[in-house]
Amino acid sequence: MIALSRQRVVFVFGLLMAAPGLGRAQDTASRRDLDPLARLSEGARYSIELLFDSARVAGLPTGPLESKALEGISKRVDGRRIVLAVRAVFRSLRDARAALGPEATPDELNAAAGAIRLGIPPAELGHLKRTHHEKQLTVPLVVLSDLVTRGVPRDTASTTIFQLWQRGAADEDFLGLWRGVERDIVSGTAPGVALLNRAREIPPRGPPPAAPPASGARPERSETPNP
Amino acid sequence: MLTTGEYAVAQSTSELETRLEAGALTSSHAGNLPLNSFALTPGIRYANGRLSASARGSALLGGEKWQLGNSTAAVEANTPLLYGVRAEVFANASRLYHDASMRNDQLDAEGRLHFMRQRGGVWLGSGIARPLRVAAVSNVNVSSGGIWTKLGAATLRGSVTSFFFTKVATLTDTTVENNATVCPTHLAAAPAVPTPAIMGTSAEATVATACRHQSRLTDIEGTVHWGHRLLELTVRGGQRFGDRLDVTPESRQWASAQAAVWLSAQLAAVAGGGREPAQPTRGLPARSFGTLGLMLAYWPIPRGIVPVETPASLVNAFELRPAGPSLQRLTARIGGVETVEIMGDFSDWAPIPLIRRGRDQWELLIPLNAGVHQINLRIDGGQWIAPPGVPTMKDGFNGEVGVLVIKP
């Protein structure tokens, strides 16, 4: 009987000791549900929140930064690499804003930032925007980023896309170009050759080019299209 | 547990599996009465992307005495997948137990090169085994090759395994046809080594009637594992090649089957039976067996066996079509898979499962405003990939995302 009482006392005491801990665990769980960044370590989270603040001060959208952080968390990337990726997005957004100007839409900024992260010089993007400032640059830049990702030499890709843009190519032209190049690459054609071949098929839609791109980049000789 | 190719596929997440089987086991081999026992078999297995460790053992109750039955402890490690190829090493310590007079322990080590894709793979391997307390006096050289593939809910595996070893044969070797004489007359009664007891015989008796014999045999084995809803079925069959001194008639062919019906998430009824070939390297004869029991399974860490690679070529179609204001209908045609998920900036990068609409049709309505969105696709819990048919870009984490451009 005495032993039973002792067990009860121990049980109640254990429950009292455990209760605050349970409460803390629930707090942590609900905090994580409300704030996905809570899954990051304190250091990584602090670094990322500093980048958010910097973006706000610079007048940049914080959405892409937050999205990149969430993407990294969801893909179970470690905190240090997430900070590096978010920092890269911040810097490329800042460069894209400087190149495209304050009138650039968020989608244009995002697309330009993606191109900058792949090594396209911001000055070229600025020149592009000034050529047809009334048109949306988003699709050409999305296509440009894809082409570079698929292995088209950077200079070849940027020069070709810039020339098509100056010739007044529409979004559908760029998307059609992308589909054709993708098919050719899958069929075994060298990426640069595939792009140059397909670009020739797009008819001019506007006035002849007024000026070459700022950097004057030319296609690589090794990527000359087949006759 | 560690010899099937499909289990060699790496995992993206850690997994811990515990099982306890309890039931009746009956086994017999030529010339002996069936042995009936109650078997209690606990097992535990941990695996992550690079390492897997497992242990499993049986406690057999025959009559009034508990006896340690078949048991295995194993470790497997592998390199990262490079161009679809990875190296694997296995180490295994096992005990085979037929009855009190027929038991054996063995240590194994094997290396493999495994070329694998999402739905199949091929491997080549080589290794050694060291039987203890048995007739083989040399290490057993093991060469193996195999192929596996997934067809719908079924996994098919075929393997060829060759064994080469030197054994001390007795004049009345139970693993040899009709207890034939293995030793040529001039070699009989000329013991080369003092061997330990073989299957319960005394060392002295063995030495007096033994000789060394070079044995080589090759097993071809096929396995089909099929799982659908609550039912899991495994069927196995094989053929052994070798001369009659190494292969008994009852070991030329074998077949067995095992079925598990899941009664709940953690409880299954298990039944099986068939024939197992002799294990000449271990001095154990062929036997027939039958089992019937219950299995308790528990996964403290969620089950996560997933293929490493998810080639976009599995996706036969991937389309987005407007389905209303700020709503897109995503359809995909992907055959022979269990789950398809997407995630993107539109879901705050939280995975959303697609709904199966047919044998290979998958569908989902997603709210997408006009603009540029990023998207990833995952099949059967594999790697996140960019869906085919949309532009891609680097994600900054050594992967790619698809880019969706939604027009206003």
Side-chain angles (χ1 to χ4, degrees), chain B residues 335-368:
Chain B
V337 300
E338 298 299 317
T339 61
V340 179
E341 296 165 288
I342 58 162
M343 69 174 182
D345 49 12
F346 49 85
S347 69
D348 280 342
W349 295 97
I352 312 173
L354 270 68
I355 298 159
R356 192 195 282 268
R357 293 293 188 207
R359 193 173 62 82
D360 59 352
Q361 294 287 336
W362 300 84
E363 189 180 277
L364 187 68
L365 284 174
I366 46 177
L368 275 180

PDB file of all heavy atoms in Angstrom, chain B residues 335-368:
ATOM      1  N   GLY B 335       3.498   6.634 -65.742  1.00  0.00           N
ATOM      2  CA  GLY B 335       3.063   5.261 -65.485  1.00  0.00           C
ATOM      3  C   GLY B 335       3.945   4.530 -64.492  1.00  0.00           C
ATOM      4  O   GLY B 335       5.136   4.816 -64.364  1.00  0.00           O
ATOM      5  N   GLY B 336       3.343   3.577 -63.788  1.00  0.00           N
ATOM      6  CA  GLY B 336       4.113   2.678 -62.931  1.00  0.00           C
ATOM      7  C   GLY B 336       4.705   3.296 -61.700  1.00  0.00           C
ATOM      8  O   GLY B 336       5.732   2.838 -61.219  1.00  0.00           O
ATOM      9  N   VAL B 337       4.100   4.351 -61.194  1.00  0.00           N
ATOM     10  CA  VAL B 337       4.629   4.967 -59.976  1.00  0.00           C
ATOM     11  C   VAL B 337       3.514   5.048 -58.939  1.00  0.00           C
ATOM     12  O   VAL B 337       2.334   4.929 -59.260  1.00  0.00           O
ATOM     13  CB  VAL B 337       5.222   6.372 -60.247  1.00  0.00           C
ATOM     14  CG1 VAL B 337       6.353   6.281 -61.245  1.00  0.00           C
ATOM     15  CG2 VAL B 337       4.162   7.342 -60.744  1.00  0.00           C
ATOM     16  N   GLU B 338       3.919   5.248 -57.713  1.00  0.00           N
ATOM     17  CA  GLU B 338       2.949   5.258 -56.620  1.00  0.00           C
ATOM     18  C   GLU B 338       2.502   6.668 -56.243  1.00  0.00           C
ATOM     19  O   GLU B 338       1.346   6.887 -55.910  1.00  0.00           O
ATOM     20  CB  GLU B 338       3.560   4.577 -55.389  1.00  0.00           C
ATOM     21  CG  GLU B 338       3.905   3.118 -55.613  1.00  0.00           C
ATOM     22  CD  GLU B 338       2.697   2.277 -55.957  1.00  0.00           C
ATOM     23  OE1 GLU B 338       1.653   2.464 -55.318  1.00  0.00           O
ATOM     24  OE2 GLU B 338       2.795   1.471 -56.891  1.00  0.00           O
ATOM     25  N   THR B 339       3.434   7.612 -56.236  1.00  0.00           N
ATOM     26  CA  THR B 339       3.079   8.976 -55.837  1.00  0.00           C
ATOM     27  C   THR B 339       3.734   9.993 -56.759  1.00  0.00           C
ATOM     28  O   THR B 339       4.844   9.779 -57.255  1.00  0.00           O
ATOM     29  CB  THR B 339       3.525   9.296 -54.391  1.00  0.00           C
ATOM     30  OG1 THR B 339       4.944   9.179 -54.314  1.00  0.00           O
ATOM     31  CG2 THR B 339       2.890   8.366 -53.389  1.00  0.00           C
ATOM     32  N   VAL B 340       3.033  11.075 -56.983  1.00  0.00           N
ATOM     33  CA  VAL B 340       3.583  12.217 -57.725  1.00  0.00           C
ATOM     34  C   VAL B 340       3.250  13.463 -56.919  1.00  0.00           C
ATOM     35  O   VAL B 340       2.112  13.653 -56.496  1.00  0.00           O
ATOM     36  CB  VAL B 340       2.970  12.321 -59.140  1.00  0.00           C
ATOM     37  CG1 VAL B 340       3.546  13.516 -59.872  1.00  0.00           C
ATOM     38  CG2 VAL B 340       3.210  11.046 -59.928  1.00  0.00           C
ATOM     39  N   GLU B 341       4.252  14.292 -56.673  1.00  0.00           N
ATOM     40  CA  GLU B 341       4.040  15.512 -55.896  1.00  0.00           C
ATOM     41  C   GLU B 341       4.675  16.692 -56.623  1.00  0.00           C
ATOM     42  O   GLU B 341       5.630  16.519 -57.382  1.00  0.00           O
ATOM     43  CB  GLU B 341       4.699  15.398 -54.517  1.00  0.00           C
ATOM     44  CG  GLU B 341       4.121  14.328 -53.623  1.00  0.00           C
ATOM     45  CD  GLU B 341       5.052  14.042 -52.458  1.00  0.00           C
ATOM     46  OE1 GLU B 341       6.107  13.428 -52.681  1.00  0.00           O
ATOM     47  OE2 GLU B 341       4.739  14.461 -51.341  1.00  0.00           O
ATOM     48  N   ILE B 342       4.134  17.854 -56.358  1.00  0.00           N
ATOM     49  CA  ILE B 342       4.760  19.073 -56.856  1.00  0.00           C
ATOM     50  C   ILE B 342       4.938  20.031 -55.678  1.00  0.00           C
ATOM     51  O   ILE B 342       4.304  19.890 -54.630  1.00  0.00           O
ATOM     52  CB  ILE B 342       3.923  19.770 -57.951  1.00  0.00           C
ATOM     53  CG1 ILE B 342       2.525  20.103 -57.408  1.00  0.00           C
ATOM     54  CG2 ILE B 342       3.857  18.936 -59.200  1.00  0.00           C
ATOM     55  CD1 ILE B 342       1.803  21.132 -58.233  1.00  0.00           C
ATOM     56  N   MET B 343       5.809  20.976 -55.850  1.00  0.00           N
ATOM     57  CA  MET B 343       5.885  22.093 -54.918  1.00  0.00           C
ATOM     58  C   MET B 343       6.457  23.279 -55.677  1.00  0.00           C
ATOM     59  O   MET B 343       7.046  23.132 -56.748  1.00  0.00           O
ATOM     60  CB  MET B 343       6.726  21.757 -53.692  1.00  0.00           C
ATOM     61  CG  MET B 343       8.203  21.593 -53.929  1.00  0.00           C
ATOM     62  SD  MET B 343       9.077  21.367 -52.356  1.00  0.00           S
ATOM     63  CE  MET B 343      10.773  21.270 -52.923  1.00  0.00           C
ATOM     64  N   GLY B 344       6.258  24.446 -55.137  1.00  0.00           N
ATOM     65  CA  GLY B 344       6.754  25.635 -55.818  1.00  0.00           C
ATOM     66  C   GLY B 344       6.498  26.870 -54.977  1.00  0.00           C
ATOM     67  O   GLY B 344       6.011  26.774 -53.844  1.00  0.00           O
ATOM     68  N   ASP B 345       6.805  28.013 -55.558  1.00  0.00           N
ATOM     69  CA  ASP B 345       6.592  29.247 -54.792  1.00  0.00           C
ATOM     70  C   ASP B 345       5.099  29.452 -54.507  1.00  0.00           C
ATOM     71  O   ASP B 345       4.733  30.070 -53.514  1.00  0.00           O
ATOM     72  CB  ASP B 345       7.190  30.457 -55.531  1.00  0.00           C
ATOM     73  CG  ASP B 345       6.773  30.524 -56.989  1.00  0.00           C
ATOM     74  OD1 ASP B 345       5.843  29.784 -57.384  1.00  0.00           O
ATOM     75  OD2 ASP B 345       7.363  31.320 -57.740  1.00  0.00           O
ATOM     76  N   PHE B 346       4.242  28.874 -55.350  1.00  0.00           N
ATOM     77  CA  PHE B 346       2.790  29.019 -55.155  1.00  0.00           C
ATOM     78  C   PHE B 346       2.294  28.239 -53.935  1.00  0.00           C
ATOM     79  O   PHE B 346       1.207  28.489 -53.435  1.00  0.00           O
ATOM     80  CB  PHE B 346       2.043  28.552 -56.411  1.00  0.00           C
ATOM     81  CG  PHE B 346       2.509  27.208 -56.898  1.00  0.00           C
ATOM     82  CD1 PHE B 346       2.001  26.040 -56.373  1.00  0.00           C
ATOM     83  CD2 PHE B 346       3.498  27.122 -57.880  1.00  0.00           C
ATOM     84  CE1 PHE B 346       2.443  24.805 -56.803  1.00  0.00           C
ATOM     85  CE2 PHE B 346       3.956  25.891 -58.314  1.00  0.00           C
ATOM     86  CZ  PHE B 346       3.431  24.729 -57.780  1.00  0.00           C
ATOM     87  N   SER B 347       3.084  27.261 -53.466  1.00  0.00           N
ATOM     88  CA  SER B 347       2.686  26.489 -52.276  1.00  0.00           C
ATOM     89  C   SER B 347       3.622  26.779 -51.107  1.00  0.00           C
ATOM     90  O   SER B 347       3.650  26.016 -50.149  1.00  0.00           O
ATOM     91  CB  SER B 347       2.703  24.992 -52.579  1.00  0.00           C
ATOM     92  OG  SER B 347       4.028  24.521 -52.760  1.00  0.00           O
ATOM     93  N   ASP B 348       4.365  27.877 -51.214  1.00  0.00           N
ATOM     94  CA  ASP B 348       5.414  28.161 -50.224  1.00  0.00           C
ATOM     95  C   ASP B 348       6.351  26.971 -50.079  1.00  0.00           C
ATOM     96  O   ASP B 348       6.846  26.662 -49.003  1.00  0.00           O
ATOM     97  CB  ASP B 348       4.809  28.531 -48.858  1.00  0.00           C
ATOM     98  CG  ASP B 348       4.360  29.987 -48.829  1.00  0.00           C
ATOM     99  OD1 ASP B 348       4.817  30.765 -49.697  1.00  0.00           O
ATOM    100  OD2 ASP B 348       3.545  30.332 -47.968  1.00  0.00           O
ATOM    101  N   TRP B 349       6.552  26.267 -51.171  1.00  0.00           N
ATOM    102  CA  TRP B 349       7.469  25.135 -51.256  1.00  0.00           C
ATOM    103  C   TRP B 349       7.066  23.998 -50.327  1.00  0.00           C
ATOM    104  O   TRP B 349       7.919  23.247 -49.840  1.00  0.00           O
ATOM    105  CB  TRP B 349       8.910  25.569 -51.009  1.00  0.00           C
ATOM    106  CG  TRP B 349       9.368  26.498 -52.095  1.00  0.00           C
ATOM    107  CD1 TRP B 349       9.378  27.860 -52.024  1.00  0.00           C
ATOM    108  CD2 TRP B 349       9.801  26.154 -53.416  1.00  0.00           C
ATOM    109  NE1 TRP B 349       9.815  28.389 -53.224  1.00  0.00           N
ATOM    110  CE2 TRP B 349      10.082  27.360 -54.091  1.00  0.00           C
ATOM    111  CE3 TRP B 349       9.981  24.954 -54.091  1.00  0.00           C
ATOM    112  CZ2 TRP B 349      10.527  27.399 -55.404  1.00  0.00           C
ATOM    113  CZ3 TRP B 349      10.436  24.978 -55.404  1.00  0.00           C
ATOM    114  CH2 TRP B 349      10.703  26.197 -56.040  1.00  0.00           C
ATOM    115  N   ALA B 350       5.767  23.874 -50.123  1.00  0.00           N
ATOM    116  CA  ALA B 350       5.261  22.701 -49.393  1.00  0.00           C
ATOM    117  C   ALA B 350       4.791  21.685 -50.430  1.00  0.00           C
ATOM    118  O   ALA B 350       4.067  22.052 -51.357  1.00  0.00           O
ATOM    119  CB  ALA B 350       4.109  23.082 -48.479  1.00  0.00           C
ATOM    120  N   PRO B 351       5.183  20.421 -50.324  1.00  0.00           N
ATOM    121  CA  PRO B 351       4.780  19.424 -51.319  1.00  0.00           C
ATOM    122  C   PRO B 351       3.258  19.221 -51.353  1.00  0.00           C
ATOM    123  O   PRO B 351       2.603  19.204 -50.317  1.00  0.00           O
ATOM    124  CB  PRO B 351       5.472  18.138 -50.842  1.00  0.00           C
ATOM    125  CG  PRO B 351       6.572  18.587 -49.958  1.00  0.00           C
ATOM    126  CD  PRO B 351       6.088  19.844 -49.307  1.00  0.00           C
ATOM    127  N   ILE B 352       2.715  19.093 -52.567  1.00  0.00           N
ATOM    128  CA  ILE B 352       1.286  18.812 -52.748  1.00  0.00           C
ATOM    129  C   ILE B 352       1.180  17.550 -53.610  1.00  0.00           C
ATOM    130  O   ILE B 352       1.733  17.505 -54.707  1.00  0.00           O
ATOM    131  CB  ILE B 352       0.567  19.952 -53.497  1.00  0.00           C
ATOM    132  CG1 ILE B 352       0.922  21.310 -52.897  1.00  0.00           C
ATOM    133  CG2 ILE B 352      -0.936  19.740 -53.501  1.00  0.00           C
ATOM    134  CD1 ILE B 352       0.374  22.468 -53.717  1.00  0.00           C
ATOM    135  N   PRO B 353       0.482  16.527 -53.116  1.00  0.00           N
ATOM    136  CA  PRO B 353       0.356  15.306 -53.928  1.00  0.00           C
ATOM    137  C   PRO B 353      -0.644  15.488 -55.064  1.00  0.00           C
ATOM    138  O   PRO B 353      -1.686  16.125 -54.882  1.00  0.00           O
ATOM    139  CB  PRO B 353      -0.147  14.260 -52.921  1.00  0.00           C
ATOM    140  CG  PRO B 353      -0.788  15.049 -51.836  1.00  0.00           C
ATOM    141  CD  PRO B 353      -0.135  16.391 -51.793  1.00  0.00           C
ATOM    142  N   LEU B 354      -0.328  14.938 -56.232  1.00  0.00           N
ATOM    143  CA  LEU B 354      -1.286  14.926 -57.337  1.00  0.00           C
ATOM    144  C   LEU B 354      -2.255  13.770 -57.119  1.00  0.00           C
ATOM    145  O   LEU B 354      -1.928  12.805 -56.425  1.00  0.00           O
ATOM    146  CB  LEU B 354      -0.564  14.748 -58.674  1.00  0.00           C
ATOM    147  CG  LEU B 354      -0.144  16.046 -59.377  1.00  0.00           C
ATOM    148  CD1 LEU B 354       0.956  16.741 -58.589  1.00  0.00           C
ATOM    149  CD2 LEU B 354       0.350  15.778 -60.795  1.00  0.00           C
ATOM    150  N   ILE B 355      -3.425  13.887 -57.722  1.00  0.00           N
ATOM    151  CA  ILE B 355      -4.457  12.860 -57.540  1.00  0.00           C
ATOM    152  C   ILE B 355      -4.445  11.933 -58.749  1.00  0.00           C
ATOM    153  O   ILE B 355      -4.450  12.394 -59.891  1.00  0.00           O
ATOM    154  CB  ILE B 355      -5.843  13.516 -57.385  1.00  0.00           C
ATOM    155  CG1 ILE B 355      -5.825  14.405 -56.136  1.00  0.00           C
ATOM    156  CG2 ILE B 355      -6.942  12.478 -57.284  1.00  0.00           C
ATOM    157  CD1 ILE B 355      -6.891  15.468 -56.146  1.00  0.00           C
ATOM    158  N   ARG B 356      -4.428  10.637 -58.486  1.00  0.00           N
ATOM    159  CA  ARG B 356      -4.407   9.673 -59.591  1.00  0.00           C
ATOM    160  C   ARG B 356      -5.795   9.617 -60.224  1.00  0.00           C
ATOM    161  O   ARG B 356      -6.798   9.426 -59.539  1.00  0.00           O
ATOM    162  CB  ARG B 356      -4.017   8.296 -59.069  1.00  0.00           C
ATOM    163  CG  ARG B 356      -3.685   7.292 -60.163  1.00  0.00           C
ATOM    164  CD  ARG B 356      -3.671   5.890 -59.608  1.00  0.00           C
ATOM    165  NE  ARG B 356      -2.462   5.586 -58.881  1.00  0.00           N
ATOM    166  CZ  ARG B 356      -1.377   5.025 -59.434  1.00  0.00           C
ATOM    167  NH1 ARG B 356      -1.365   4.738 -60.700  1.00  0.00           N
ATOM    168  NH2 ARG B 356      -0.319   4.773 -58.699  1.00  0.00           N
ATOM    169  N   ARG B 357      -5.842   9.784 -61.541  1.00  0.00           N
ATOM    170  CA  ARG B 357      -7.118   9.765 -62.256  1.00  0.00           C
ATOM    171  C   ARG B 357      -7.228   8.573 -63.193  1.00  0.00           C
ATOM    172  O   ARG B 357      -8.149   8.481 -63.973  1.00  0.00           O
ATOM    173  CB  ARG B 357      -7.277  11.042 -63.076  1.00  0.00           C
ATOM    174  CG  ARG B 357      -7.430  12.282 -62.257  1.00  0.00           C
ATOM    175  CD  ARG B 357      -8.731  12.275 -61.485  1.00  0.00           C
ATOM    176  NE  ARG B 357      -8.970  13.547 -60.836  1.00  0.00           N
ATOM    177  CZ  ARG B 357      -9.688  13.694 -59.740  1.00  0.00           C
ATOM    178  NH1 ARG B 357     -10.226  12.632 -59.160  1.00  0.00           N
ATOM    179  NH2 ARG B 357      -9.862  14.865 -59.179  1.00  0.00           N
ATOM    180  N   GLY B 358      -6.284   7.724 -63.187  1.00  0.00           N
ATOM    181  CA  GLY B 358      -6.297   6.562 -64.068  1.00  0.00           C
ATOM    182  C   GLY B 358      -5.005   5.822 -63.859  1.00  0.00           C
ATOM    183  O   GLY B 358      -4.263   6.117 -62.933  1.00  0.00           O
ATOM    184  N   ARG B 359      -4.743   4.840 -64.733  1.00  0.00           N
ATOM    185  CA  ARG B 359      -3.561   4.020 -64.534  1.00  0.00           C
ATOM    186  C   ARG B 359      -2.288   4.868 -64.508  1.00  0.00           C
ATOM    187  O   ARG B 359      -1.426   4.671 -63.667  1.00  0.00           O
ATOM    188  CB  ARG B 359      -3.457   2.973 -65.647  1.00  0.00           C
ATOM    189  CG  ARG B 359      -2.463   1.877 -65.373  1.00  0.00           C
ATOM    190  CD  ARG B 359      -2.557   0.823 -66.449  1.00  0.00           C
ATOM    191  NE  ARG B 359      -2.232   1.359 -67.757  1.00  0.00           N
ATOM    192  CZ  ARG B 359      -0.990   1.515 -68.218  1.00  0.00           C
ATOM    193  NH1 ARG B 359       0.026   1.167 -67.484  1.00  0.00           N
ATOM    194  NH2 ARG B 359      -0.770   2.008 -69.417  1.00  0.00           N
ATOM    195  N   ASP B 360      -2.182   5.819 -65.440  1.00  0.00           N
ATOM    196  CA  ASP B 360      -0.982   6.650 -65.455  1.00  0.00           C
ATOM    197  C   ASP B 360      -1.317   8.145 -65.534  1.00  0.00           C
ATOM    198  O   ASP B 360      -0.485   8.944 -65.921  1.00  0.00           O
ATOM    199  CB  ASP B 360      -0.070   6.254 -66.620  1.00  0.00           C
ATOM    200  CG  ASP B 360      -0.757   6.393 -67.959  1.00  0.00           C
ATOM    201  OD1 ASP B 360      -1.978   6.650 -67.955  1.00  0.00           O
ATOM    202  OD2 ASP B 360      -0.093   6.260 -69.000  1.00  0.00           O
ATOM    203  N   GLN B 361      -2.556   8.492 -65.216  1.00  0.00           N
ATOM    204  CA  GLN B 361      -2.989   9.892 -65.284  1.00  0.00           C
ATOM    205  C   GLN B 361      -2.967  10.514 -63.886  1.00  0.00           C
ATOM    206  O   GLN B 361      -3.498   9.921 -62.949  1.00  0.00           O
ATOM    207  CB  GLN B 361      -4.410   9.991 -65.846  1.00  0.00           C
ATOM    208  CG  GLN B 361      -4.529   9.550 -67.294  1.00  0.00           C
ATOM    209  CD  GLN B 361      -3.930  10.569 -68.250  1.00  0.00           C
ATOM    210  OE1 GLN B 361      -3.836  11.739 -67.930  1.00  0.00           O
ATOM    211  NE2 GLN B 361      -3.502  10.112 -69.423  1.00  0.00           N
ATOM    212  N   TRP B 362      -2.406  11.691 -63.774  1.00  0.00           N
ATOM    213  CA  TRP B 362      -2.341  12.400 -62.505  1.00  0.00           C
ATOM    214  C   TRP B 362      -2.841  13.813 -62.727  1.00  0.00           C
ATOM    215  O   TRP B 362      -2.599  14.389 -63.789  1.00  0.00           O
ATOM    216  CB  TRP B 362      -0.907  12.421 -61.970  1.00  0.00           C
ATOM    217  CG  TRP B 362      -0.348  11.062 -61.737  1.00  0.00           C
ATOM    218  CD1 TRP B 362       0.236  10.244 -62.662  1.00  0.00           C
ATOM    219  CD2 TRP B 362      -0.329  10.337 -60.511  1.00  0.00           C
ATOM    220  NE1 TRP B 362       0.621   9.060 -62.088  1.00  0.00           N
ATOM    221  CE2 TRP B 362       0.293   9.093 -60.760  1.00  0.00           C
ATOM    222  CE3 TRP B 362      -0.763  10.617 -59.214  1.00  0.00           C
ATOM    223  CZ2 TRP B 362       0.483   8.139 -59.773  1.00  0.00           C
ATOM    224  CZ3 TRP B 362      -0.564   9.664 -58.230  1.00  0.00           C
ATOM    225  CH2 TRP B 362       0.050   8.442 -58.514  1.00  0.00           C
ATOM    226  N   GLU B 363      -3.501  14.364 -61.728  1.00  0.00           N
ATOM    227  CA  GLU B 363      -4.137  15.671 -61.938  1.00  0.00           C
ATOM    228  C   GLU B 363      -4.155  16.461 -60.644  1.00  0.00           C
ATOM    229  O   GLU B 363      -4.184  15.900 -59.540  1.00  0.00           O
ATOM    230  CB  GLU B 363      -5.565  15.437 -62.420  1.00  0.00           C
ATOM    231  CG  GLU B 363      -6.271  16.698 -62.873  1.00  0.00           C
ATOM    232  CD  GLU B 363      -7.674  16.381 -63.338  1.00  0.00           C
ATOM    233  OE1 GLU B 363      -7.834  15.979 -64.494  1.00  0.00           O
ATOM    234  OE2 GLU B 363      -8.609  16.538 -62.532  1.00  0.00           O
ATOM    235  N   LEU B 364      -4.173  17.781 -60.810  1.00  0.00           N
ATOM    236  CA  LEU B 364      -4.286  18.656 -59.637  1.00  0.00           C
ATOM    237  C   LEU B 364      -4.726  20.037 -60.103  1.00  0.00           C
ATOM    238  O   LEU B 364      -4.289  20.517 -61.155  1.00  0.00           O
ATOM    239  CB  LEU B 364      -2.926  18.773 -58.937  1.00  0.00           C
ATOM    240  CG  LEU B 364      -2.910  19.522 -57.613  1.00  0.00           C
ATOM    241  CD1 LEU B 364      -3.660  18.741 -56.543  1.00  0.00           C
ATOM    242  CD2 LEU B 364      -1.485  19.772 -57.147  1.00  0.00           C
ATOM    243  N   LEU B 365      -5.607  20.652 -59.353  1.00  0.00           N
ATOM    244  CA  LEU B 365      -5.962  22.051 -59.598  1.00  0.00           C
ATOM    245  C   LEU B 365      -5.108  22.906 -58.667  1.00  0.00           C
ATOM    246  O   LEU B 365      -5.080  22.675 -57.451  1.00  0.00           O
ATOM    247  CB  LEU B 365      -7.443  22.290 -59.290  1.00  0.00           C
ATOM    248  CG  LEU B 365      -8.432  21.774 -60.331  1.00  0.00           C
ATOM    249  CD1 LEU B 365      -9.854  21.952 -59.830  1.00  0.00           C
ATOM    250  CD2 LEU B 365      -8.262  22.509 -61.665  1.00  0.00           C
ATOM    251  N   ILE B 366      -4.391  23.863 -59.239  1.00  0.00           N
ATOM    252  CA  ILE B 366      -3.549  24.698 -58.379  1.00  0.00           C
ATOM    253  C   ILE B 366      -3.856  26.169 -58.628  1.00  0.00           C
ATOM    254  O   ILE B 366      -4.040  26.599 -59.774  1.00  0.00           O
ATOM    255  CB  ILE B 366      -2.040  24.434 -58.590  1.00  0.00           C
ATOM    256  CG1 ILE B 366      -1.669  24.380 -60.074  1.00  0.00           C
ATOM    257  CG2 ILE B 366      -1.610  23.182 -57.911  1.00  0.00           C
ATOM    258  CD1 ILE B 366      -0.193  24.199 -60.313  1.00  0.00           C
ATOM    259  N   PRO B 367      -3.920  26.949 -57.564  1.00  0.00           N
ATOM    260  CA  PRO B 367      -4.138  28.383 -57.724  1.00  0.00           C
ATOM    261  C   PRO B 367      -2.845  29.050 -58.177  1.00  0.00           C
ATOM    262  O   PRO B 367      -1.839  29.001 -57.476  1.00  0.00           O
ATOM    263  CB  PRO B 367      -4.528  28.842 -56.306  1.00  0.00           C
ATOM    264  CG  PRO B 367      -3.966  27.813 -55.396  1.00  0.00           C
ATOM    265  CD  PRO B 367      -3.821  26.544 -56.164  1.00  0.00           C
ATOM    266  N   LEU B 368      -2.874  29.631 -59.369  1.00  0.00           N
ATOM    267  CA  LEU B 368      -1.681  30.286 -59.903  1.00  0.00           C
ATOM    268  C   LEU B 368      -2.092  31.623 -60.513  1.00  0.00           C
ATOM    269  O   LEU B 368      -2.866  31.659 -61.474  1.00  0.00           O
ATOM    270  CB  LEU B 368      -1.043  29.431 -61.001  1.00  0.00           C
ATOM    271  CG  LEU B 368      -0.069  28.331 -60.595  1.00  0.00           C
ATOM    272  CD1 LEU B 368       0.444  27.611 -61.829  1.00  0.00           C
ATOM    273  CD2 LEU B 368       1.088  28.886 -59.798  1.00  0.00           C
TER     274      LEU B 368
END
